[in-house]
Amino acid sequence: MGQLKAGIIPVTPFQQNCTILFDDETMEGVVVDPGGDVDNILSAVRENGLKIGAIWLTHGHIDHAGGAMDLKDALGINIIGPHEGDREMLLNLETQAAMFGLQGAVRNVTPDRFLAEGEKVSFAGHEFEVLHCPGHAPGHVVYFNRQAGFAHVGDVLFSGSIGRTALPGGDHDTLISSIKDKLLPLGDEVGFICGHGPGGRLGDERRSNPFLT
């Protein structure tokens, strides 16, 4: 087993961080949140000689899940996650697309497996704990690798900000509870990649994020 590595491909007009997590020895990995621009994702996979085993979704918003079915078809792999709280959202992605004037740009998504709090998912020996963190979306999950001290937090937490809660299914108090009860206890030194913009460390957010202090 090699080192856990991550590569980020900004996709869609929302500049969402589609993330490829992979092992630098076996080059096996997963694609987290392929929101769109699937040709760009596939190019990155091929150019780097990656062997993608699955798609992991953090939640069901269009900018995170919009390209999942096309990528599934292209690579012949399963879609894993999020929590079933986002089932209806994923089954109505085409309706979400129409709200943003993106008709025909995405397909509704049917995950091969939903995830629950406390489950584990892995690739190439790298194990991630699943944390159900609603608030931004009812079925949002976070993927935490304890050995590497790393979490992919999707749109729960950003560097200096938090996920939007004005969207359908969002709730501010629930989101703050998810962050304070699930994420911050993981430890100040845990690094994170988020769904938009730069990542950071949980301790910096605990100390200085204006939504948490």
Side-chain angles (χ1 to χ4, degrees):
M1 186 173 79
Q3 293 285 316
L4 176 64
K5 299 288 186 180
I8 292 175
I9 307 164
V11 296
T12 80
F14 301 99
Q15 287 297 283
Q16 193 273 124
N17 291 333
C18 173
T19 305
I20 301 178
L21 301 174
F22 65 98
D23 179 276
D24 69 354
E25 280 188 9
T26 67
M27 302 307 283
E28 296 172 286
V30 296
V31 175
V32 183
D33 289 354
D37 297 331
V38 170
D39 287 346
N40 293 352
I41 301 170
L42 289 170
S43 293
V45 168
R46 294 190 189 107
E47 288 167 10
N48 291 283
L50 296 168
K51 296 174 282 229
I52 301 300
I55 295 162
W56 292 357
L57 297 181
T58 63
H59 64 294
H61 288 153
I62 184 173
D63 52 330
H64 292 256
M69 293 300 282
D70 287 346
L71 190 64
K72 170 187 168 77
D73 290 348
L75 296 177
I77 56 179
N78 285 345
I79 299 171
I80 309 298
H83 181 279
E84 64 182 13
D86 278 5
R87 182 191 297 269
E88 289 303 311
M89 198 181 293
L90 288 164
L91 289 175
N92 290 284
L93 274 192
E94 291 165 19
T95 304
Q96 279 191 57
M99 286 169 49
F100 291 103
L102 298 170
Q103 293 92 332
V106 305
R107 293 158 59 194
N108 294 336
V109 173
T110 304
D112 295 280
R113 173 186 164 196
F114 285 102
L115 295 171
E117 173 80 18
E119 286 194 69
K120 292 182 170 68
V121 290
S122 64
F123 64 88
H126 300 283
E127 186 176 79
F128 288 76
E129 300 168 33
V130 175
L131 308 175
H132 179 213
C133 295
H136 175 68
H140 201 303
V141 297
V142 164
Y143 298 98
F144 174 53
N145 184 288
R146 193 171 294 274
Q147 184 176 5
F150 163 76
H152 195 301
V153 301
D155 284 1
V156 173
L157 180 68
F158 299 117
S159 179
S161 188
I162 60 173
R164 292 173 60 195
T165 54
L167 301 166
D171 183 82
H172 179 81
D173 290 343
T174 301
L175 180 63
I176 295 299
S177 293
S178 288
I179 295 169
K180 291 188 172 180
D181 297 342
K182 301 278 186 74
L183 292 190
L184 297 186
L186 298 179
D188 282 359
E189 294 308 309
V190 169
F192 66 86
I193 287 175
C194 45
H196 304 265
R201 293 199 179 275
L202 292 181
D204 293 332
E205 301 311 309
R206 181 180 62 77
R207 287 184 289 266
S208 63
N209 189 309
F211 294 91
L212 303 177
T213 54

Coordinates of all heavy atoms in Angstrom, one line a residue, residues 144-200:
F144 N -13.9 10.0 6.0 CA -12.8 10.3 6.9 C -11.8 9.1 7.0 O -12.1 8.0 7.3 CB -13.3 10.6 8.3 CG -12.2 10.8 9.4 CD1 -11.1 11.7 9.2 CD2 -12.2 10.0 10.5 CE1 -10.1 11.8 10.1 CE2 -11.2 10.2 11.5 CZ -10.2 11.1 11.3
N145 N -10.5 9.4 6.6 CA -9.4 8.4 6.7 C -8.6 8.7 7.9 O -7.9 9.7 8.0 CB -8.6 8.5 5.4 CG -7.5 7.4 5.4 OD1 -6.5 7.5 6.2 ND2 -7.7 6.4 4.6
R146 N -8.8 7.9 8.9 CA -8.2 8.2 10.3 C -6.7 8.1 10.2 O -6.0 8.8 10.8 CB -8.8 7.2 11.3 CG -8.5 7.6 12.7 CD -9.3 6.7 13.7 NE -10.7 6.9 13.6 CZ -11.3 7.9 14.3 NH1 -10.6 8.7 15.1 NH2 -12.6 8.0 14.3
Q147 N -6.2 7.1 9.4 CA -4.8 6.8 9.4 C -4.0 8.0 8.8 O -3.0 8.4 9.2 CB -4.5 5.6 8.5 CG -3.0 5.2 8.5 CD -2.8 3.9 7.7 OE1 -3.7 3.3 7.1 NE2 -1.5 3.5 7.7
A148 N -4.6 8.7 7.7 CA -4.0 9.8 7.1 C -4.3 11.1 7.7 O -3.8 12.2 7.4 CB -4.3 9.8 5.6
G149 N -5.3 11.1 8.6 CA -5.8 12.4 9.2 C -6.4 13.3 8.2 O -6.1 14.5 8.1
F150 N -7.2 12.7 7.3 CA -7.8 13.4 6.2 C -9.3 13.2 6.1 O -9.7 12.0 6.2 CB -7.1 13.0 4.9 CG -7.8 13.4 3.6 CD1 -7.8 14.7 3.2 CD2 -8.6 12.4 2.9 CE1 -8.5 15.0 2.0 CE2 -9.2 12.8 1.8 CZ -9.2 14.1 1.3
A151 N -10.0 14.2 5.7 CA -11.5 14.1 5.5 C -11.9 14.8 4.2 O -11.3 15.9 3.9 CB -12.3 14.7 6.6
H152 N -12.8 14.2 3.4 CA -13.4 14.9 2.3 C -14.8 15.3 2.9 O -15.6 14.4 3.2 CB -13.6 14.0 1.1 CG -13.9 14.8 -0.1 ND1 -15.0 15.5 -0.2 CD2 -13.3 15.0 -1.3 CE1 -15.1 16.2 -1.4 NE2 -14.0 15.8 -2.1
V153 N -15.0 16.6 3.0 CA -16.2 17.1 3.8 C -17.3 17.6 2.8 O -18.3 18.1 3.3 CB -15.8 18.2 4.8 CG1 -14.8 17.6 5.8 CG2 -15.2 19.4 4.1
G154 N -17.1 17.5 1.5 CA -18.1 18.0 0.6 C -18.4 19.5 0.9 O -17.5 20.3 1.0
D155 N -19.7 19.7 1.0 CA -20.2 21.1 1.2 C -20.6 21.4 2.7 O -21.4 22.3 3.0 CB -21.3 21.5 0.3 CG -20.9 21.7 -1.1 OD1 -19.6 21.6 -1.4 OD2 -21.7 22.1 -2.0
V156 N -20.2 20.5 3.6 CA -20.5 20.8 5.0 C -19.7 22.0 5.6 O -20.3 22.9 6.2 CB -20.2 19.5 5.9 CG1 -20.4 19.8 7.4 CG2 -21.1 18.4 5.5
L157 N -18.4 22.0 5.3 CA -17.5 23.0 5.8 C -16.6 23.5 4.7 O -16.1 22.7 3.9 CB -16.7 22.4 7.0 CG -15.7 23.2 7.7 CD1 -16.4 24.3 8.5 CD2 -14.8 22.4 8.6
F158 N -16.3 24.8 4.7 CA -15.3 25.4 3.8 C -14.3 26.1 4.6 O -14.4 26.4 5.8 CB -16.0 26.4 2.9 CG -17.1 25.8 2.0 CD1 -18.4 26.2 2.1 CD2 -16.8 24.8 1.1 CE1 -19.4 25.6 1.3 CE2 -17.8 24.2 0.3 CZ -19.1 24.6 0.4
S159 N -13.2 26.5 3.9 CA -12.2 27.4 4.6 C -12.8 28.7 4.8 O -13.1 29.5 3.9 CB -11.0 27.5 3.7 OG -10.0 28.3 4.2
G160 N -13.1 29.0 6.1 CA -13.7 30.3 6.5 C -15.2 30.4 6.3 O -15.8 31.5 6.5
S161 N -15.9 29.3 6.0 CA -17.3 29.4 5.7 C -17.9 28.0 6.0 O -17.2 27.1 6.4 CB -17.6 29.9 4.3 OG -19.0 30.1 4.1
I162 N -19.2 27.9 5.7 CA -20.0 26.7 5.9 C -20.9 26.5 4.7 O -21.0 27.5 3.9 CB -20.8 26.6 7.2 CG1 -21.8 27.8 7.2 CG2 -19.9 26.7 8.4 CD1 -22.8 27.7 8.4
G163 N -21.5 25.4 4.5 CA -22.4 25.1 3.4 C -23.6 26.0 3.5 O -24.1 26.4 4.5
R164 N -24.2 26.2 2.3 CA -25.4 27.0 2.2 C -26.6 26.1 2.8 O -26.6 24.9 2.6 CB -25.8 27.3 0.8 CG -24.9 28.3 0.1 CD -25.2 28.5 -1.4 NE -26.5 29.0 -1.6 CZ -27.2 28.9 -2.7 NH1 -26.6 28.4 -3.8 NH2 -28.4 29.4 -2.8
T165 N -27.5 26.8 3.5 CA -28.6 26.1 4.0 C -30.0 26.6 3.5 O -31.0 26.2 4.0 CB -28.6 26.2 5.6 OG1 -28.6 27.5 6.0 CG2 -27.4 25.4 6.2
A166 N -29.9 27.5 2.5 CA -31.1 28.1 1.9 C -31.7 27.2 0.9 O -32.8 27.5 0.3 CB -30.9 29.5 1.4
L167 N -31.0 26.1 0.5 CA -31.5 25.2 -0.5 C -32.5 24.2 0.1 O -32.5 24.0 1.3 CB -30.3 24.4 -1.1 CG -29.2 25.3 -1.7 CD1 -27.9 24.5 -2.0 CD2 -29.6 25.9 -3.1
P168 N -33.3 23.6 -0.8 CA -34.3 22.6 -0.3 C -33.6 21.5 0.6 O -32.6 21.0 0.1 CB -34.9 22.1 -1.5 CG -34.8 23.2 -2.5 CD -33.5 23.8 -2.2
G169 N -34.1 21.3 1.8 CA -33.5 20.2 2.6 C -32.5 20.8 3.5 O -31.9 20.0 4.4
G170 N -32.1 22.0 3.4 CA -31.1 22.6 4.2 C -31.6 23.1 5.6 O -32.8 23.5 5.7
D171 N -30.8 23.1 6.6 CA -31.2 23.6 7.9 C -29.9 24.1 8.6 O -29.0 23.3 8.9 CB -31.9 22.5 8.7 CG -32.4 23.0 10.1 OD1 -33.4 23.7 10.1 OD2 -31.7 22.8 11.1
H172 N -29.9 25.3 9.0 CA -28.6 25.9 9.6 C -28.3 25.2 10.9 O -27.1 24.9 11.1 CB -28.8 27.4 9.8 CG -27.7 28.1 10.4 ND1 -26.5 28.5 9.7 CD2 -27.4 28.4 11.7 CE1 -25.6 29.0 10.5 NE2 -26.1 29.0 11.7
D173 N -29.2 25.1 11.8 CA -28.9 24.5 13.1 C -28.4 23.1 13.0 O -27.4 22.7 13.7 CB -30.1 24.6 14.0 CG -30.5 26.0 14.5 OD1 -29.6 26.9 14.3 OD2 -31.6 26.2 14.9
T174 N -29.0 22.3 12.1 CA -28.6 21.0 11.8 C -27.1 20.9 11.3 O -26.3 20.1 11.7 CB -29.5 20.3 10.9 OG1 -30.8 20.3 11.4 CG2 -29.1 18.8 10.6
L175 N -26.8 21.9 10.4 CA -25.5 21.9 9.8 C -24.4 22.2 10.9 O -23.4 21.6 11.0 CB -25.4 22.9 8.7 CG -24.1 23.1 8.0 CD1 -23.7 21.8 7.3 CD2 -24.1 24.2 7.0
I176 N -24.7 23.2 11.7 CA -23.8 23.6 12.8 C -23.6 22.4 13.7 O -22.4 22.1 14.2 CB -24.3 24.8 13.6 CG1 -24.3 26.1 12.6 CG2 -23.4 25.1 14.8 CD1 -23.0 26.5 12.1
S177 N -24.6 21.7 14.0 CA -24.5 20.5 14.9 C -23.6 19.4 14.2 O -22.8 18.8 14.9 CB -25.9 19.9 15.2 OG -26.6 20.8 16.0
S178 N -23.8 19.2 12.9 CA -23.0 18.2 12.2 C -21.5 18.6 12.3 O -20.7 17.7 12.5 CB -23.4 18.2 10.7 OG -24.7 17.5 10.6
I179 N -21.2 19.9 12.1 CA -19.8 20.3 12.2 C -19.2 20.2 13.6 O -18.1 19.6 13.8 CB -19.7 21.8 11.7 CG1 -20.1 21.9 10.2 CG2 -18.3 22.3 11.9 CD1 -20.3 23.3 9.8
K180 N -20.0 20.6 14.6 CA -19.5 20.6 15.9 C -19.5 19.3 16.6 O -18.6 18.9 17.4 CB -20.3 21.6 16.8 CG -20.0 23.1 16.4 CD -20.6 24.1 17.4 CE -20.2 25.5 17.0 NZ -20.8 26.5 18.0
D181 N -20.4 18.4 16.2 CA -20.6 17.1 16.9 C -19.8 16.0 16.1 O -19.4 15.0 16.7 CB -22.0 16.7 17.0 CG -22.8 17.7 17.9 OD1 -22.2 18.4 18.6 OD2 -24.1 17.7 17.8
K182 N -19.7 16.2 14.8 CA -19.1 15.1 14.0 C -17.7 15.4 13.5 O -16.8 14.6 13.5 CB -20.0 14.8 12.8 CG -21.4 14.3 13.1 CD -21.5 12.9 13.5 CE -22.9 12.4 13.7 NZ -23.7 12.3 12.4
L183 N -17.5 16.7 12.9 CA -16.2 17.0 12.3 C -15.2 17.5 13.3 O -14.0 16.9 13.3 CB -16.4 18.1 11.2 CG -17.2 17.7 10.0 CD1 -17.1 18.8 8.9 CD2 -16.8 16.3 9.4
L184 N -15.5 18.5 14.0 CA -14.4 19.1 14.9 C -13.8 18.1 15.9 O -12.6 18.1 16.1 CB -15.0 20.3 15.6 CG -15.4 21.5 14.8 CD1 -15.8 22.7 15.6 CD2 -14.3 21.9 13.7
P185 N -14.6 17.1 16.4 CA -14.0 16.1 17.3 C -13.0 15.2 16.6 O -12.2 14.5 17.4 CB -15.2 15.3 17.9 CG -16.3 16.3 17.7 CD -16.1 17.0 16.5
L186 N -12.9 15.2 15.3 CA -11.9 14.3 14.6 C -10.5 14.8 15.0 O -9.6 14.0 14.9 CB -12.1 14.4 13.1 CG -13.5 13.8 12.6 CD1 -13.6 13.9 11.1 CD2 -13.7 12.4 13.1
G187 N -10.3 16.1 15.3 CA -9.0 16.5 15.7 C -8.5 17.8 14.9 O -8.8 17.9 13.7
D188 N -7.8 18.7 15.6 CA -7.4 19.9 15.0 C -6.4 19.7 13.8 O -6.4 20.5 12.9 CB -6.7 20.8 16.0 CG -7.7 21.5 16.9 OD1 -8.9 21.3 16.7 OD2 -7.2 22.2 17.8
E189 N -5.7 18.6 13.8 CA -4.7 18.4 12.8 C -5.2 17.8 11.5 O -4.5 17.6 10.5 CB -3.5 17.6 13.3 CG -2.7 18.3 14.4 CD -2.3 19.7 14.0 OE1 -1.7 19.8 12.9 OE2 -2.5 20.6 14.8
V190 N -6.5 17.4 11.5 CA -7.1 16.7 10.4 C -7.2 17.7 9.2 O -7.8 18.8 9.4 CB -8.5 16.1 10.7 CG1 -9.2 15.7 9.5 CG2 -8.3 15.0 11.7
G191 N -6.7 17.4 8.1 CA -6.8 18.2 6.9 C -8.1 17.8 6.1 O -8.5 16.7 6.2
F192 N -8.6 18.8 5.4 CA -9.8 18.4 4.6 C -9.8 19.1 3.2 O -9.2 20.1 3.0 CB -11.1 18.9 5.4 CG -11.2 20.4 5.5 CD1 -11.8 21.2 4.6 CD2 -10.8 21.0 6.7 CE1 -12.0 22.5 4.7 CE2 -10.9 22.4 6.9 CZ -11.5 23.1 5.9
I193 N -10.4 18.4 2.3 CA -10.8 18.9 1.0 C -12.3 19.1 1.0 O -13.0 18.3 1.6 CB -10.4 17.9 -0.1 CG1 -8.9 17.9 -0.3 CG2 -11.1 18.3 -1.4 CD1 -8.5 16.8 -1.3
C194 N -12.7 20.3 0.5 CA -14.2 20.6 0.5 C -14.7 20.7 -0.9 O -13.9 20.5 -1.9 CB -14.4 21.8 1.3 SG -13.3 23.2 0.9
G195 N -16.0 20.9 -1.1 CA -16.6 20.9 -2.4 C -16.3 22.1 -3.3 O -16.5 22.0 -4.5
H196 N -15.9 23.2 -2.7 CA -15.6 24.4 -3.5 C -14.4 25.1 -2.8 O -14.4 25.2 -1.6 CB -16.8 25.3 -3.6 CG -18.0 24.7 -4.1 ND1 -18.4 24.8 -5.4 CD2 -19.0 23.9 -3.5 CE1 -19.5 24.1 -5.6 NE2 -19.9 23.6 -4.5
G197 N -13.5 25.6 -3.6 CA -12.4 26.4 -3.0 C -11.3 25.6 -2.3 O -11.3 24.4 -2.4
P198 N -10.4 26.3 -1.6 CA -9.3 25.6 -1.0 C -9.8 24.9 0.3 O -10.8 25.2 0.9 CB -8.4 26.8 -0.6 CG -9.3 28.0 -0.4 CD -10.4 27.8 -1.4
G199 N -9.0 23.8 0.6 CA -9.3 23.1 1.8 C -8.6 23.7 3.0 O -8.3 24.9 3.0
G200 N -8.3 23.0 4.1 CA -7.7 23.5 5.2 C -7.5 22.5 6.3 O -7.5 21.3 6.0

